[in-house]
Amino acid sequence: MADSTAAVARAEHAVTRLRAAAASAAGAVRLEPGISDEVIDAWPVPAPAEIRLLAREIGELWFDEYDPITFSHNRNSTPKSGRAGEAGTWWVLHTNAAAETYYVDIDPVTGRWGRVFSHWEDNSSTLVAASVSDWFLTLASGITLAAEVAAGERVDDLDPDLDDDDLAALDFETVFADWFHRQNEFVLTDETPSAPAIPADAARHSPDPEVAAAAADLPDDAVLADLRAAPYPTHVSFNELKGGFATYRRAGDGAFLAAVPEHW
């Protein structure tokens, strides 16, 4: 109960921060009305209290004219296996023209919504946030930063080489996209750390029982990344995967991420 109460409180905080950030963006960010309980009840996965609160308060978040962050993404309409995992183990929150898919891990046994991940068309992935609420709080920070820069402020993370004319030319969408995709053209962010992936066979023989358990059901040609202590964000390259296109499996509440050849 304590964990649930804390999760709901964090979700309420995320909603408050997002609304304040959107208000600071002078119309460049749009928050759409929330989703009804009737619609949420019809979702093919359970909705814990904190997710229900987020979805009821903010149905969609638009920061450009193309790709909202939304609980109602069309990939969620029917439970099915996909690149993000088996049916019922993921929920897509955002896709975009950069070939990124953002999704949240769902425990099919407990119904708990866990960490947020993203993946690309190649065999790589990123651990994005500890939860949907945490991702929304991060987005609120990025929106606030972009709004400040668009208003002419020289924030701490701004490239110091930008002159006054460069700063005056920056609009919200340009700055937010630079921050969101970590392009480091205008907003300087720390280099994203990488987590190594090891072959599943080696992981199964690890002296660490949690690593061995996470790899127990993986095929020999899979690879496994240990994300237990990983910061947010952390990049995982699965380019060493043999067998082509990867699908992803998560274990230990998202503490481990595996890439498995698509034929499995």
Side-chain angles (χ1 to χ4, degrees):
M1 178 65 71
D3 287 347
S4 175
T5 300
V8 169
R10 192 150 184 81
E12 291 173 339
H13 180 48
V15 169
T16 300
R17 286 285 309 278
L18 265 179
R19 285 178 172 160
S24 76
V29 171
R30 189 168 79 250
L31 303 181
E32 294 293 345
I35 301 169
S36 69
D37 281 316
E38 182 180 12
V39 171
I40 297 173
D41 289 340
W43 284 357
V45 295
E50 73 277 9
I51 297 299
R52 185 177 292 270
L53 186 151
L54 290 171
R56 279 194 310 224
E57 297 296 329
I58 300 175
E60 293 184 335
L61 187 160
W62 289 83
F63 50 85
D64 59 29
E65 294 303 316
Y66 307 104
D67 309 290
I69 291 168
T70 175
F71 286 99
S72 300
H73 197 282
N74 56 19
R75 292 192 193 176
N76 299 322
S77 57
T78 304
K80 57 186 175 183
S81 297
R83 188 159 198 203
E86 297 299 318
T89 67
W90 50 270
W91 192 261
V92 172
L93 297 170
H94 177 62
T95 56
N96 58 48
E100 295 174 315
T101 297
Y102 287 75
Y103 65 95
V104 57
D105 176 47
I106 299 176
D107 187 315
V109 176
T110 66
R112 180 181 180 275
W113 291 41
R115 285 171 148 184
V116 177
F117 294 85
S118 68
H119 67 70
W120 287 264
E121 291 179 331
D122 65 354
N123 288 339
S124 62
S125 184
T126 295
L127 172 63
V128 175
S131 67
V132 179
S133 293
D134 285 279
W135 190 39
F136 280 12
L137 285 166
T138 300
L139 290 168
S141 296
I143 291 167
T144 300
L145 181 149
E148 290 171 347
V149 174
E153 295 186 34
R154 286 193 172 274
V155 300
D156 290 341
D157 295 328
L158 195 66
D159 184 347
D161 292 333
L162 291 174
D163 61 27
D164 290 344
D165 289 339
D166 293 330
L167 180 59
L170 291 176
D171 60 14
F172 174 89
E173 187 172 328
T174 299
V175 177
F176 185 76
D178 186 65
W179 172 86
F180 185 85
H181 297 291
R182 302 179 74 84
Q183 295 165 332
N184 283 309
E185 185 176 357
F186 308 111
V187 179
L188 303 183
T189 55
D190 293 334
E191 182 177 354
T192 303
S194 295
I198 61 174
D201 184 55
R204 280 197 296 272
H205 294 90
S206 169
D208 187 321
E210 292 184 351
V211 174
D217 296 327
L218 296 176
D220 288 343
D221 50 0
V223 290
L224 180 72
D226 180 357
L227 300 176
R228 286 175 292 183
Y232 304 99
T234 290
H235 179 72
V236 185
S237 173
F238 290 124
N239 290 331
E240 297 302 317
L241 181 74
K242 309 303 179 185
F245 198 65
T247 58
Y248 300 105
R249 298 182 190 175
R250 293 161 303 286
D253 256 355
F256 299 93
L257 181 67
V260 179
E262 189 179 28
H263 60 268
W264 283 89

